[in-house]
Amino acid sequence: MLESILVTFSIGAVSGVALSYASKLFYVYEDPLIAKVEGLLAGANCGGCGFAGCSAAAEAIVNDKAPANACILIDEENIREIAAITGAHAGPPEPPSSYNNCSGGKRATDRFIYSGIWSCTAAAALYGGNRDCAIGCLGFGDCIRACRFNAIKMGGHGFPVVDYDKCVGCGACEASCPKTILEVKTLSQRLFHLSSAGDPLAPCSQGCPAEIDIPRYIDHIRNMRYEEALDTIREKNPMPLSCGRVCPHPCESLCRRGIADEPVSINQLKRFVADYEMNSGRRLPIACSPATGKRIAIIGGGPAGISCAYFLRRAGHHPEIFEAMPKLGGMLRYGIPEYRLPKKILDWEIQGILKLGIESHTNVRLGLDFDFCSLVAAGFDAVFFSVGAWKDYNLGIPGEELSGCMTGINFLSRVGGSKPPAIGKRAAVIGGGNTAIDCCRTLIRMGLDKVYLVYRRTRKEMPANEAEIVAAEHEGIEFVFLAAPNKIIADEEKQVAGLEYLAMELGKPDASGRHRPVPIEGSEQILAVDTVITAIGQSPLLSFRGRGNRLDDLNISRWNTFEVEPSTCQTNVPYIFAAGDAATGPALVVDAIGGGRKAARSIDLFLRGEEVNPQEDALLNKPIGESIFPSVPGVRPMGRIGLDEIDVTNRIQTFAEVDLTISERDALAESNRCLSCCRLCYNVDTH
Amino acid sequence: MGYLELIVSCIFVNNILLAQFLGNCPFLGTSKKMETAVGMAGAVVFVTVLAGTITWIIYHQILVKFDLVYLRTFSFILIIATLVQFVEMFLKKMIPVLYAGLGIFLPLITTNCAVLGICVINIDEEFTFSEAVSASLFYAVGFGLALILFAGIRERILLARVPKALQGTSIALITAGFISLTFFAFRGMV
Amino acid sequence: MNELVRMTVVLTGLATIAGGVLAAVHSGTADRIAAQQLEYVKGPAIRSIMAATTNNPLEDSFQLSIGEEEKTVFIGSLASGGTAVAFEEFGRGFGGDIGVMVGINMETETILGTAVTVHSETPGLGAKAKNDRSFTSQFEGLPVSATVAVTQDGGQIDAISGATTTSRAVCEAIAQALERYQMLHADLQKTVN
Amino acid sequence: MAKTLKQEFTKGLWKDLPPFRLVLGLCPVLGVTTTMENGLGMGVATTFVLCGSNLLVSLLRQAIPPRVRIACFVIIIAAFVTVVELLMQAYTYPLYLKLGVFIPLIVVNCIVLGRAEAFAYKNKVSSSVADALGIGIGFTLSLSLLGSLRELLGNGSLTIWGDLSYSIIDVVPSFQPFTFATQAPGAFVCLGLMLCIINLIGK
């Protein structure tokens, strides 16, 4: 008995002392995460995972070389905890979830007939797999077998479908996939992912400045899952109601169906689901990551500011919007007339975004009502400028100061605000852009007898959207092309009495490809008008500079815009970011929204203390060459749905919305026209 | 028994993995990649010789002397566990190059029944000290041989067409059965 | 440091307690284990030799010191009223030692029976030595003074075909047993009576 | 997450059935399943160690410092294995001889250590014991099943316990024992095929 106790005592003591001293003596620094993960592993060192023991497995898991569920002994609870630890390592502490990137599946063509083992890994080992598409799903379901939570099923179309309720984001599927079909990403990683050259993108998605996954939401519409469609849109664009109305849809010009047929009415479909939500009487919940406690000041509550605030909020940060005008919305409210975007719809949309927990302060102008230094003092971690482009260029002709002459933005914002300006009976709008058209169409609705649009080139050169020009023509706007305003003629009361212009002819094309107009000597003519609106372009209003603070250090371009790194939206002052018209000059609403998201991505990186680098391979709206086809076989032309609009004679009487929402039947029919394109493959018309 | 017989017996006829069924968990786990298999084989040889030697001494010098042979299992596993962990920490700090190649496999060996099994067999077979040391070495070499052979085959299995239900461990075990069958050919040599 | 001390203390404490518990269990089972070992290791051989005894030879055994060695001698009472003894001897075989239990009728001074206890011979051959009646029966009734050897060595025992070494080892063990019996005859006689 | 004792118990019988669902502890599975009796004995011995170690680890889980927990588990398990060794020698000596080296090797059976670490160290005593019983009984059943399969194929007989045995040859006189099944390669192949069957049923 005694010997036994003595022997075991000494063995125990020797082991204990040897190990504890060795652990002190031979201490080697190790990533604390590895120790933490190892603490959750079974510790049986059984080798079932294929790694050399539990510590080796822990190291592999932390370094993303093994999935969180590599250990075959531990239960789901531990896997979840490990996933949480490594998830925290990879990004913010929010649950990652698997997300399927490929929508091609079975329809993708095969390069060769593969008859090997039923495994993606094995198939990929043979010339990268049998599929024509270098990035598409091979469809053997390695991910399904890898998932310990039964969260992945093979969909009917031959690509995996993730059940988000079951997914814990352990990463097993991602690790098992020889391609990058299933990516386990946190919400913010998904929101902030910029389209990149390796993504399975349809041409339309490449063309969208907001980078919306268009085929995915159209597919949701086709299946009458409108809420999911809206979720998909909102992952990239917070303002589907507004964009669904005002967006000139550059996506549609890239639509693959458009090559053989008319393009799909993508924007109308977006508007349809957005309106569906608004008319359903309830708001869809929008998921946000856990709070990070970081605060960001957003200067300017236009589309770029709202978009940036929205994405930062969804990533868990706390943006606050400072707006100089009485209400949020920027150009959406003050530049786009009621008949294109009714104010109550805009209000509803902005309200929904603010409800996520975004504070806003209106009627406060930077430099006037608050100081830049006070923002920094108030503890904001970053500042985002989305002040827009509110300063109209002057024509530089005599008479611009006359009463009855005003600038386009000034006019529109006063109409959109609460104090409409006094106008006469006949008006001339100078300029060929969207602002000019908006002014014209607003004026005609204000009951004017005659509205001229004066443009120094021809209709072909007009930068305004074609649809808008056509609508203006229908509404009776008279276009005066090849006319360069010379001076504004005053009457005795210093009121505008007419606009004198010189007739022009087109000269040789300039560097931008547009024909340069050349005035014809002695061709002066006079338009008898009592109102002149100049809308020849805008630039940001930077009056807040020059007050002796950091803002003076900002680099400003020669177009008076913020000079930013285009892919990160960061200015030369690291904590100041800018996007929207303030950085790009006047552009589309959807450009501003995309810019806001890009900026939010950089701000998120900045706030997490990481380097604000451009995303590798980011496309930034450059098309992927191989995905742009010269012809699209297998498409049967069927024409797009007609657009419902109010009859011309009625519509110019009111500011009521011109374009009406398409019906559900039309939306479903139109969504079925979508070819569900991916990078290379698409659904051909079968009937 | 002559040493040549001992070698043939330990490596082939009584192969620790394929005939005595010891160390099968790491056998199936670490044979997925050749690289891992080679590292594991090396580590097993190293630890087995060390553990075989020390446990033989402890058994004959302490346990037998004090009539405590029933503490064999208890003391052997503790000694092996301590030894392995100690060596691991030592290598990690002092000889990182060796650690990277061999050392990382050490924890896997703590609970490898091949190591404890060989120590126990050394006692059961009543080997002398030199026999015990060489038997440890050759048993471990046999383990390494089987492991490396098997890893080579398994890398091929990945590209073979296997019925769904047989995939994974199932086919691995059946393959191991056939390797075991080939080792049967050495029977009768001793 | 505190952590290190705690680690050591817990480990040592656990090991010590385990040692105590194991020692207790061991002392509680030691007798039974010894009995079991006897029963199952030597038992079958003894039974086959002393099938006709009236007592249980496994219980009526005693230890006999021969020099440094301790030998267990089993005693059986024969139906005829006489006594038989049995003990184990070893011969060197092909794969290691072969144990042979040899039973001797003390009355007639002849071999009562033999049985192989342990062997590590090639399967088949060793088993033959154990079970082949035509081989084992050759020993029965031989006087203790007889020379036991296979025919190849000039003896009268026919070896198992193809297993001369094994047969030789068995003979060697039996010869040694007879020799030892004669040497210890007096001691045995004393103890038995 | 709280499961009933019944759930903890039954998961070992199918969901985590060792060694088929939880592919661990293969050495004894391959080594001792030449007959049903061996499998049963090994299973019972393992279950005993599993229950004892789970019980003790769960009781002592507050006292064991995390950094040396594995060493502590090893001590506890080794103690129980030694107790089993002694008890088996005392009461079922022939079985002890047949199982041989595999009895001391229970100490390195990944299932035992794995359950101690993955379950008992984190759960209360009652559920730990339920877990150990479930896994242990599952393991015993699997071993017995594999053992009886190999015995039937290889020897043409089935020994339940002691003298209680049946022979196929009595029923089907033309039956030829398939000795391969009881030998080493047969162990691997039989287990591999069993796994395959379990996979098929599981689907």
Side-chain angles (χ1 to χ4, degrees):
Chain A
M1 182 93 172
L2 191 65
E3 292 111 322
S4 165
I5 292 177
L6 266 176
V7 166
T8 52
F9 171 82
S10 45
I11 293 177
V14 168
S15 310
V17 171
L19 287 187
S20 49
Y21 276 91
S23 71
K24 205 172 142 65
L25 203 63
F26 303 130
Y27 173 78
V28 176
Y29 173 78
E30 201 175 40
D31 189 344
L33 269 180
I34 296 177
K36 225 166 160 185
V37 171
E38 197 186 342
L40 288 165
L41 294 178
N45 280 320
C46 65
C49 54
F51 289 95
C54 295
S55 54
E59 202 178 327
I61 291 172
V62 170
N63 295 332
D64 288 338
K65 288 194 184 107
N69 66 1
C71 180
I72 59 170
L73 280 171
I74 54 175
D75 54 12
E76 290 180 16
E77 204 177 326
N78 277 21
I79 296 173
R80 266 175 239 271
E81 278 179 52
I82 292 172
I85 291 174
T86 50
H89 180 60
E94 46 184 316
S97 183
S98 183
Y99 194 76
N100 175 16
N101 280 330
C102 176
S103 57
K106 278 183 185 152
R107 68 180 182 193
T109 47
D110 280 353
R111 285 189 291 161
F112 53 86
I113 296 165
Y114 175 77
S115 55
I117 182 183
W118 197 254
S119 148
C120 309
T121 319
L126 200 64
Y127 310 111
N130 50 329
R131 291 280 153 84
D132 221 1
C133 178
I135 54 163
C137 179
L138 295 171
F140 296 109
D142 279 10
C143 47
I144 297 167
R145 288 186 287 277
C147 182
R148 293 242 325 230
F149 304 96
N150 264 335
I152 309 177
K153 291 201 165 49
M154 185 54 77
H157 302 292
F159 51 80
V161 180
V162 180
D163 181 342
Y164 295 107
D165 293 335
K166 288 184 184 164
C167 178
V168 301
C170 67
C173 50
E174 190 180 355
S176 72
C177 183
K179 305 219 165 174
T180 48
I181 306 306
L182 284 165
E183 286 186 299
V184 174
K185 285 184 169 171
T186 62
L187 178 61
S188 46
Q189 280 172 323
R190 258 199 344 259
L191 294 175
F192 292 144
H193 174 76
L194 305 182
S195 292
S196 79
D199 290 347
L201 295 170
C204 51
S205 294
Q206 300 167 35
C208 175
E211 305 185 340
I212 303 173
D213 191 344
I214 294 166
R216 188 187 288 259
Y217 85 72
I218 295 185
D219 185 60
H220 287 318
I221 295 173
R222 185 166 24 214
N223 297 315
M224 297 177 73
R225 297 200 303 261
Y226 304 133
E227 304 191 346
E228 285 167 51
L230 209 53
D231 269 345
T232 306
I233 297 171
R234 287 221 172 103
E235 215 157 82
K236 297 290 154 72
N237 182 344
M239 307 186 88
L241 273 174
S242 307
C243 279
R245 287 170 165 76
V246 305
C247 190
H249 39 71
C251 49
E252 292 181 21
S253 50
L254 283 165
C255 176
R256 215 171 257 167
R257 181 176 276 279
I259 297 169
D261 185 12
E262 284 180 281
V264 177
S265 296
I266 298 171
N267 204 39
Q268 287 302 318
L269 289 171
K270 172 161 51 206
R271 173 171 168 184
F272 165 75
V273 282
D275 285 2
Y276 169 85
E277 185 203 18
M278 188 174 66
N279 298 330
S280 74
R282 73 186 185 94
R283 289 184 193 276
L284 288 182
I286 297 174
C288 292
S289 301
T292 61
K294 301 280 187 194
R295 295 170 70 212
I296 306 98
I298 310 274
I299 315 292
I306 289 174
S307 159
C308 183
Y310 165 88
F311 286 108
L312 288 171
R313 179 67 205 102
R314 287 195 74 175
H317 305 301
H318 287 275
E320 279 181 44
I321 302 176
F322 297 86
E323 169 60 53
M325 299 298 277
K327 280 183 152 185
L328 294 184
M331 281 296 173
L332 279 171
R333 181 181 301 277
Y334 298 106
I336 292 176
E338 175 81 12
Y339 63 88
R340 280 179 67 200
L341 174 61
K343 300 289 176 274
K344 65 173 192 358
I345 289 177
L346 181 65
D347 286 340
W348 196 86
E349 181 143 64
I350 293 175
Q351 197 192 6
I353 295 167
L354 294 182
K355 270 192 174 171
L356 298 176
I358 299 166
E359 268 185 71
S360 70
H361 313 271
T362 50
N363 275 323
V364 284
R365 187 175 286 273
L366 177 63
L368 217 60
D369 302 304
F370 67 101
D371 185 36
F372 183 75
C373 298
S374 67
L375 283 181
V376 180
F380 284 99
D381 301 286
V383 182
F384 174 63
F385 277 89
S386 49
V387 294
W390 284 68
K391 195 169 121 196
D392 282 289
Y393 285 123
N394 286 331
L395 265 175
I397 55 169
E400 274 189 86
E401 71 294 338
L402 294 173
S403 139
C405 177
M406 57 192 102
T407 62
I409 293 300
N410 184 13
F411 166 74
L412 286 173
S413 65
R414 282 165 68 185
V415 174
S418 46
K419 288 171 282 179
I423 45 164
K425 288 282 163 203
R426 297 164 65 86
V429 177
I430 303 166
N434 281 323
T435 312
I437 302 266
D438 284 341
C439 289
C440 291
R441 295 182 69 189
T442 302
L443 285 165
I444 204 103
R445 281 169 176 72
M446 291 171 84
L448 266 73
D449 296 339
K450 191 73 196 169
V451 178
Y452 297 100
L453 184 137
V454 180
Y455 182 49
R456 56 192 187 128
R457 301 177 210 223
T458 63
R459 188 184 189 282
K460 225 174 77 201
E461 276 89 19
M462 277 178 79
N465 306 338
E466 177 63 22
E468 292 285 311
I469 301 171
V470 171
E473 283 171 345
H474 285 172
E475 286 167 14
I477 313 287
E478 190 175 331
F479 289 69
V480 184
F481 293 115
L482 290 168
N486 206 14
K487 70 177 185 201
I488 299 162
I489 299 159
D491 64 4
E492 52 280 10
E493 283 162 33
K494 298 258 176 199
Q495 275 279 340
V496 172
L499 173 69
E500 186 190 294
Y501 67 89
L502 273 171
M504 314 278 275
E505 57 184 5
L506 286 179
K508 293 213 169 78
D510 63 5
S512 65
R514 296 205 295 185
H515 291 278
R516 204 178 167 75
V518 185
I520 307 166
E521 287 299 321
S523 62
E524 290 88 348
Q525 292 179 47
I526 293 177
L527 279 176
V529 292
D530 49 18
T531 304
V532 173
I533 294 174
T534 58
I536 55 163
Q538 307 107 44
S539 70
L541 192 61
L542 302 177
S543 55
F544 46 79
R545 292 182 77 242
R547 281 158 211 267
N549 54 36
R550 271 311 275 273
L551 295 180
D552 297 349
D553 298 345
L554 288 174
N555 289 346
I556 300 298
S557 74
R558 65 190 175 98
W559 295 281
N560 214 29
T561 57
F562 287 82
E563 218 165 67
V564 294
E565 163 64 41
S567 51
T568 63
C569 297
Q570 193 176 29
T571 66
N572 58 317
V573 179
Y575 65 92
I576 299 179
F577 300 80
D581 288 358
T584 59
L588 306 177
V589 169
V590 69
D591 280 317
I593 285 173
R597 187 169 73 92
K598 235 185 305 177
R601 170 188 170 269
S602 310
I603 295 172
D604 178 66
L605 285 175
F606 176 78
L607 293 180
R608 286 195 282 121
E610 286 171 35
E611 255 181 79
V612 183
N613 286 332
Q615 181 183 305
E616 255 177 74
D617 281 350
L619 282 173
L620 302 173
N621 286 94
K622 284 189 298 288
I624 300 170
E626 62 169 0
S627 71
I628 309 297
F629 297 165
S631 67
V632 185
V635 169
R636 194 173 56 82
M638 51 177 87
R640 64 200 284 176
I641 41 152
L643 211 54
D644 282 338
E645 46 179 37
I646 310 182
D647 167 64
V648 174
T649 47
N650 286 328
R651 78 189 189 205
I652 59 170
Q653 311 292 325
T654 67
F655 276 96
E657 205 177 355
V658 173
D659 299 332
L660 303 177
T661 320
I662 56 174
S663 69
E664 182 167 358
R665 225 188 71 209
D666 284 347
L668 290 173
E670 189 65 14
S671 65
N672 275 309
R673 292 182 68 233
C674 176
L675 302 174
S676 292
C677 308
C678 191
R679 179 188 277 243
L680 291 181
C681 53
Y682 57 91
N683 293 344
V684 293
D685 286 332
T686 48
H687 41 273
Chain B
M1 207 191 287
Y3 278 92
L4 189 64
E5 283 172 1
L6 190 73
I7 292 171
V8 176
S9 161
C10 292
I11 298 184
F12 298 110
V13 181
N14 291 315
N15 185 285
I16 193 83
L17 263 173
L18 300 170
Q20 318 236 32
F21 309 110
L22 299 180
N24 269 298
C25 296
F27 176 55
L28 292 171
T30 55
S31 58
K32 285 176 191 156
K33 278 196 209 112
M34 182 55 97
E35 206 185 323
T36 327
V38 172
M40 183 69 186
V44 166
V45 171
F46 176 73
V47 172
T48 310
V49 173
L50 206 60
T53 312
I54 293 185
T55 51
W56 193 92
I57 296 172
I58 298 268
Y59 184 81
H60 287 278
Q61 298 306 312
I62 298 177
L63 297 185
V64 172
K65 289 249 160 85
F66 293 102
D67 198 18
L68 291 171
V69 285
Y70 62 90
L71 284 180
R72 183 179 69 174
T73 312
F74 185 86
S75 45
F76 279 17
I77 185 67
L78 261 184
I79 289 164
I80 294 173
T82 309
L83 184 77
V84 167
Q85 214 175 339
F86 188 87
V87 170
E88 188 204 356
M89 288 194 276
F90 175 82
L91 286 185
K92 206 172 186 177
K93 178 82 175 180
M94 298 302 177
I95 321 174
V97 184
L98 195 57
Y99 177 78
L102 273 183
I104 52 164
F105 295 97
L106 287 175
L108 202 49
I109 289 166
T110 321
T111 50
N112 184 343
C113 34
V115 178
L116 182 63
I118 291 169
C119 295
V120 173
I121 288 172
N122 282 342
I123 305 302
D124 279 348
E125 295 282 319
E126 296 177 359
F127 283 145
T128 62
F129 180 71
S130 56
E131 274 175 345
V133 175
S134 30
S136 305
L137 172 67
F138 296 125
Y139 271 130
V141 169
F143 179 94
L145 179 73
L147 184 60
I148 291 168
L149 280 177
F150 191 50
I153 295 174
R154 264 190 111 171
E155 285 189 349
R156 294 276 161 171
I157 293 182
L158 184 70
L159 299 173
R161 211 170 175 176
V162 179
K164 218 167 176 187
L166 276 170
Q167 282 173 19
T169 319
S170 183
I171 190 73
L173 279 168
I174 293 174
T175 316
F178 293 125
I179 302 182
S180 168
L181 198 60
T182 61
F183 273 63
F184 243 47
F186 295 102
R187 285 215 161 182
M189 277 181 71
V190 177
Chain C
M1 201 59 213
N2 209 4
E3 168 90 17
L4 295 188
V5 173
R6 187 163 166 235
M7 276 159 61
T8 317
V9 167
V10 170
L11 262 181
T12 318
L14 259 180
T16 315
I17 296 170
V21 171
L22 292 184
V25 174
H26 177 249
S27 64
T29 52
D31 292 343
R32 228 194 120 80
I33 291 174
Q36 289 267 315
Q37 276 173 344
L38 216 55
E39 166 84 21
Y40 286 101
V41 177
K42 315 274 194 268
I46 296 287
R47 288 226 178 77
S48 76
I49 298 164
M50 305 198 185
T53 52
T54 52
N55 68 332
N56 182 358
L58 287 177
E59 283 168 9
D60 295 329
S61 61
F62 61 91
Q63 303 287 318
L64 201 65
S65 319
I66 309 150
E68 283 192 358
E69 246 182 306
E70 281 234 323
K71 228 167 200 21
T72 310
V73 179
F74 303 89
I75 298 161
S77 320
L78 299 170
S80 59
T83 315
V85 288
F87 52 89
E88 196 178 14
E89 282 300 338
F90 296 91
R92 186 140 180 84
F94 189 74
D97 285 350
I98 293 185
V100 183
M101 184 69 74
V102 183
I104 298 165
N105 189 333
M106 292 183 72
E107 221 167 16
T108 57
E109 301 262 298
T110 51
I111 294 176
L112 188 64
T114 59
V116 172
T117 48
V118 280
H119 71 87
S120 46
E121 305 296 279
T122 318
L125 296 182
K128 241 180 182 166
K130 209 167 179 173
N131 304 322
D132 190 345
R133 281 294 296 161
S134 65
F135 176 66
T136 52
S137 63
Q138 294 181 71
F139 303 109
E140 286 169 25
L142 284 179
V144 290
S145 52
T147 320
V148 179
V150 289
T151 43
Q152 283 94 329
D153 297 341
Q156 72 278 55
I157 305 295
D158 293 324
I160 305 166
S161 58
T164 317
T165 315
T166 308
S167 312
R168 214 175 253 155
V170 172
C171 291
E172 184 190 327
I174 293 171
Q176 204 182 332
L178 296 182
E179 195 182 316
R180 192 157 286 172
Y181 171 78
Q182 284 174 312
M183 206 167 76
L184 299 173
H185 187 252
D187 285 346
L188 286 170
Q189 203 78 38
K190 210 173 344 160
T191 326
V192 170
N193 299 328
Chain D
M1 216 43 213
K3 286 185 193 153
T4 61
L5 288 183
K6 198 178 149 207
Q7 278 171 311
E8 297 294 4
F9 176 72
T10 49
K11 72 169 188 278
L13 300 183
W14 179 253
K15 197 176 136 273
D16 286 338
L17 178 71
F20 299 120
R21 289 309 189 83
L22 201 65
V23 187
L24 277 181
L26 292 184
C27 312
V29 175
L30 293 164
V32 305
T33 52
T34 45
T35 65
M36 163 154 179
E37 197 181 359
N38 285 0
L40 192 62
M42 188 67 202
V44 172
T46 311
T47 308
F48 175 82
V49 175
L50 200 51
C51 288
S53 62
N54 255 19
L55 174 80
L56 219 56
V57 167
S58 180
L59 272 176
L60 296 177
R61 66 184 193 277
Q62 309 292 348
I64 297 175
R67 288 186 59 188
V68 285
R69 64 185 200 282
I70 302 292
C72 292
F73 298 161
V74 167
I75 292 181
I76 292 171
I77 295 166
F80 274 101
V81 169
T82 311
V83 169
V84 165
E85 255 186 299
L86 291 172
L87 289 179
M88 285 188 79
Q89 285 186 53
Y91 295 98
T92 56
Y93 196 77
L95 191 62
Y96 172 80
L97 286 183
K98 278 188 220 154
L99 298 183
V101 75
F102 289 102
I103 295 288
L105 289 184
I106 295 177
V107 80
V108 281
N109 189 322
C110 309
I111 295 177
V112 180
L113 195 55
R115 289 331 284 183
E117 156 73 20
F119 199 88
Y121 196 51
K122 278 179 293 193
N123 287 286
K124 57 181 199 294
V125 179
S126 53
S127 17
S128 301
V129 175
D131 174 74
L133 271 176
I135 297 279
I137 290 174
F139 190 62
T140 310
L141 289 178
S142 307
L143 282 181
S144 314
L145 186 65
L146 192 60
S148 48
L149 183 80
R150 288 179 64 193
E151 192 183 350
L152 275 175
L153 283 177
N155 295 347
S157 64
L158 185 64
T159 308
I160 310 289
W161 192 264
D163 297 330
L164 187 60
S165 83
Y166 303 94
S167 174
I168 296 191
I169 301 160
D170 295 344
V171 188
V172 188
S174 62
F175 180 81
Q176 280 289 318
F178 182 50
T179 331
F180 175 77
T182 48
Q183 284 171 328
F188 286 104
V189 174
C190 285
L191 182 62
L193 290 176
M194 284 283 281
L195 261 175
C196 167
I197 292 167
I198 297 277
N199 282 346
L200 281 176
I201 298 170
K203 280 278 155 350

